[in-house]
Amino acid sequence: MTDGTWEDESEWELTEFDADEDTDEPSAPPAVVAVVGRPNVGKSTLVNRIIGRREAVVQDIPGVTRDRVSYPAEWLDRRFTVQDTGGWEADATGLQQLVAEQARHAMATADLIILVVDATVGPTSTDEEAAKLLRRSGKPVFLAANKVDSDRAEADAAVLWSLGLGEPMPISAMHGRGVADLLDRVVADLPEVSSRGAGEGGPRRVALVGKPNVGKSSLLNRLSGDQRAVVHDTAGTTVDPVDTLIELGGKTWRFVDTAGLRRKVGQASGHEYYASLRTHGAIEAAEVAIVLLDASQPITEQDQRVLSMVIESGRALVLAFNKWDLVDEDRRELLEREVDLQLAQLNWAQRVNISAKSGRAVQKLVPALESALDSWDKRISTGQLNTWVKEVVAATPPPVRGGKQPRVLFATQATSRPPTFVLFTTGFLEAGYRRFLERRLRESFGFDGTPIRINVRVREKRSAKR
């Protein structure tokens, strides 16, 4: 092995790597573009047009898109993420509140916002409410006047100047008319680095999440030493998120307390749906999540779903088993078995047994948070990583697939936050072998409290040079 590469068998590969694939500099997260608007104005159709394929569900029924979904996109060699958001229900109770919540969510999680309005209908009171909120966001906002299918229809878009978001850009998401001009303007205003990844120097952001009535507000009050959040024995008391700056362990932390998840987002309605949306948003806006579980009760599907949201988002994780003062010896034994059976895939997550009500062991959350974030930020040099990979693969080669044994030619850590590794191979690596590599990575380098992602790129050997 020489200079972090493997001689002979991979020399032909290394000349083709992209510049950012073998560097130790962290890769910045792509900027995020949120597409928002009323139901049935063509948001999902526009998203499909932007990403160049039919991914978002499109129907002539208002409110088909319930959850917020993200897709990778590229225009003029600029890569970014586009978010397709759910339209608010026109007959929902408290419509203005729901409109405001979606707009606030877009403002919190996106770097640039596209408000889609139906030009054939003109500005509605709902459009005006959304525009008023977006104007105060301080972020670039583009007004897409959709369903302009001809030159004659462009006159319909002019009335949308009244929304105060600048020039309405006439487009037809269905036919592609004007979308290229819109994207030209969008990528010109996109920041080079997503603001969601620019967290250095400020308080580390902690999402406090869990099912309803698990004790999130009680823990927030205990940590802050103040009655910041409403606490009641009725599940779902917390509706609006509460951002709280708290001094712990000599550092300032930003905590977000959110409404608990009641059911799957697609099955929720009204304020429950938006409470679920806020929980998603809190996790994405955070760097580390404390997931509260009720130690006195069996682990539920709701608990598993919250944990899956955190892992899929790539955030660092601390498990806090609350209400430990209610756990007797019998329950403790049952809980250990439940953890072994249901949370076996999370044995890397640090666990703290606490009582938010009495204050038991809550001080142990700080070192757990710090350790998880250290792992989340951790990088391994390319040379060190390839030395490690060579030793592990030599001791335990990948399983044979299709009569051939894949070789791992080169490895690099593409990004941190969460640690993401790319393996360049001559063949596909089975999921079981990738899990084996993840276990060995954790044994060798730690990574307590953070998910790890391992991506495989198969590169066939080229024919002889011409």
Side-chain angles (χ1 to χ4, degrees):
M1 184 170 179
T2 307
D3 297 330
T5 64
W6 298 354
E7 298 176 334
D8 300 325
E9 64 182 16
S10 62
E11 183 178 356
W12 52 272
E13 280 291 350
L14 299 177
T15 59
E16 294 189 20
F17 290 155
D18 296 331
D20 63 343
E21 289 176 349
D22 58 355
T23 179
D24 286 345
E25 291 299 317
S27 299
V32 178
V33 176
V35 179
V36 303
R38 292 186 296 107
N40 214 30
V41 294
K43 297 186 299 297
S44 295
T45 304
L46 177 58
V47 168
N48 285 335
R49 181 66 62 179
I50 292 173
I51 64 179
R53 61 190 182 279
R54 189 180 176 87
E55 290 276 1
V57 177
V58 178
Q59 289 185 23
D60 288 330
I61 304 171
V64 170
T65 303
R66 301 303 308 273
D67 199 1
R68 175 192 31 73
V69 187
S70 299
Y71 305 102
E74 185 174 350
W75 185 258
L76 299 179
D77 296 325
R78 281 295 307 277
R79 294 181 181 179
F80 57 96
T81 297
V82 59
Q83 283 186 354
D84 186 17
T85 61
W88 45 87
E89 297 177 8
D91 58 349
T93 303
L95 174 61
Q96 287 190 335
Q97 178 187 349
L98 302 185
V99 173
E101 184 50 55
Q102 190 195 46
R104 276 195 292 267
H105 181 269
M107 289 187 285
T109 61
D111 299 289
L112 182 147
I113 302 163
I114 299 175
L115 174 63
V116 183
V117 177
D118 187 339
T120 65
V121 173
T124 67
S125 59
T126 309
D127 295 326
E128 291 170 355
E129 182 67 22
K132 182 167 63 176
L133 289 163
L134 294 175
R135 286 198 303 269
R136 298 200 296 260
S137 70
K139 295 185 178 181
V141 180
F142 285 91
L143 177 59
N146 194 26
K147 306 185 182 181
V148 176
D149 299 331
S150 65
D151 291 340
R152 183 179 301 176
E154 286 196 16
D156 296 333
V159 70
L160 297 177
W161 276 96
S162 64
L163 292 175
L165 293 175
E167 178 187 1
M169 302 200 64
I171 67 167
S172 171
M174 177 69 72
H175 304 295
R177 188 177 192 272
V179 175
D181 292 335
L182 172 63
L183 288 177
D184 286 348
R185 295 271 300 275
V186 165
V187 298
D189 274 28
L190 274 180
E192 291 296 327
V193 178
S194 175
S195 61
R196 296 194 307 162
E200 286 76 3
R204 304 306 294 257
R205 300 184 300 277
V206 185
L208 201 55
V209 295
K211 66 184 180 183
N213 211 28
V214 76
K216 299 184 298 298
S217 296
S218 295
L219 178 58
L220 182 70
N221 289 334
R222 171 65 60 178
L223 292 171
S224 65
D226 191 10
Q227 194 71 11
R228 300 292 184 92
V230 176
V231 179
H232 196 275
D233 288 338
T234 303
T237 304
T238 303
V239 176
D240 288 324
V242 182
D243 273 25
T244 308
L245 291 173
I246 300 176
E247 194 79 21
L248 293 172
K251 294 181 180 178
T252 301
W253 304 78
R254 182 181 295 278
F255 279 78
V256 180
D257 180 40
T258 59
L261 284 177
R262 298 189 181 190
R263 53 175 68 97
K264 293 181 180 177
V265 171
Q267 298 172 354
S269 61
H271 75 277
E272 288 185 349
Y273 165 63
Y274 284 91
S276 301
L277 193 68
R278 282 191 287 271
T279 300
H280 277 276
I283 292 171
E284 290 199 358
E287 298 169 287
V288 58
I290 298 176
V291 176
L292 262 71
L293 301 100
D294 187 340
S296 67
Q297 300 294 325
I299 296 171
T300 67
E301 181 185 351
Q302 288 174 304
D303 295 321
Q304 297 272 19
R305 192 161 66 250
V306 176
L307 288 165
S308 295
M309 288 166 54
V310 175
I311 295 165
E312 289 168 8
S313 72
R315 299 309 185 257
L317 170 64
V318 173
L319 298 176
F321 284 83
N322 193 26
K323 307 185 183 181
W324 198 254
D325 50 325
L326 303 180
V327 176
D328 57 22
E329 286 297 326
D330 291 341
R331 174 59 195 153
R332 194 168 301 179
E333 291 181 12
L334 282 174
L335 179 60
E336 293 304 324
R337 285 203 291 270
E338 289 171 14
V339 170
D340 289 342
L341 287 172
Q342 299 185 48
L343 304 183
Q345 76 280 14
L346 292 176
N347 56 10
W348 47 264
Q350 298 188 73
R351 172 179 163 183
V352 184
N353 301 324
I354 67 169
S355 170
K357 187 175 182 179
S358 69
R360 179 196 187 278
V362 293
Q363 73 279 2
K364 294 182 179 178
L365 287 172
V366 173
L369 288 170
E370 291 175 335
S371 176
L373 285 167
D374 286 345
S375 295
W376 196 59
D377 293 333
K378 184 182 295 187
R379 294 189 64 85
I380 303 173
S381 71
T382 300
Q384 185 181 15
L385 181 63
N386 279 279
T387 299
W388 176 86
V389 168
K390 186 174 183 181
E391 293 173 354
V392 170
V393 171
T396 309
V400 174
R401 182 181 173 90
K404 294 183 179 179
Q405 186 170 68
R407 296 198 318 277
V408 181
L409 304 172
F410 187 79
T412 187
Q413 183 174 351
T415 64
S416 56
R417 318 182 84 185
T420 302
F421 301 90
V422 181
L423 305 180
F424 298 89
T425 70
T426 61
F428 182 76
L429 296 183
E430 302 283 357
Y433 192 75
R434 293 200 300 274
R435 287 193 294 271
F436 160 74
L437 290 177
E438 178 184 338
R439 288 195 301 272
R440 294 300 306 273
L441 267 172
R442 293 186 184 281
E443 291 170 5
S444 300
F445 300 106
F447 292 113
D448 293 333
T450 181
I452 289 177
R453 294 174 177 169
I454 297 179
N455 300 323
V456 176
R457 294 192 185 178
V458 178
R459 293 197 170 182
E460 299 296 335
K461 191 168 183 177
R462 295 182 302 181
S463 57
K465 293 182 180 179
R466 289 171 291 196

